[in-house]
Amino acid sequence: MQITSIRLRRAGGGERVRAAASICIDGQFVVHGLRVIEGPNGLFVSMPARRTNGGDYRDMAHPVTAEAREQIQSAVLAAYQEWAKARGAKAEETVTA
């Protein structure tokens, strides 16, 4: 699996949400709705989720292996760090991994 591009944009959703992200995998499959969140132990990437009728959140898409999750998280966080430094002129930017 190769993450071929990452799109970051400013996000609402509370003071802990730093950005919304979309990733393109192998130039063929896009996943929207990832979020960069400031947690108690630092930044992490949240997978796309929806609220259930019971009020809980369930992931709509997620990596099956720990290695795939780490690959996605490290790529998105690296792109976020770059984007956060250069942010201001654009509300949305595409970063090629």
Side-chain angles (χ1 to χ4, degrees):
M1 174 179 81
Q2 184 71 20
I3 299 171
T4 50
S5 70
I6 300 168
R7 178 169 284 187
L8 296 161
R9 58 197 167 282
R10 291 186 185 112
E15 57 190 54
R16 292 180 17 174
V17 179
R18 300 292 178 240
S22 298
I23 60 172
C24 184
I25 300 169
D26 294 330
Q28 299 178 36
F29 189 80
V30 175
V31 179
H32 298 288
L34 290 88
R35 293 173 293 149
V36 177
I37 298 178
E38 180 75 44
N41 298 320
L43 294 174
F44 69 94
V45 176
S46 170
M47 294 297 135
R50 288 196 183 186
R51 185 178 279 189
T52 65
N53 289 338
D56 297 327
Y57 285 92
R58 302 271 323 224
D59 284 350
M60 299 306 297
H62 57 87
V64 176
T65 66
E67 293 82 14
R69 181 175 294 276
E70 179 55 35
Q71 184 179 4
I72 292 168
Q73 180 154 293
S74 60
V76 170
L77 291 180
Y80 172 77
Q81 295 296 340
E82 179 183 322
W83 177 76
K85 287 181 188 176
R87 192 169 98 173
K90 293 184 177 180
E92 188 169 309
E93 177 180 336
T94 300
V95 179
T96 302

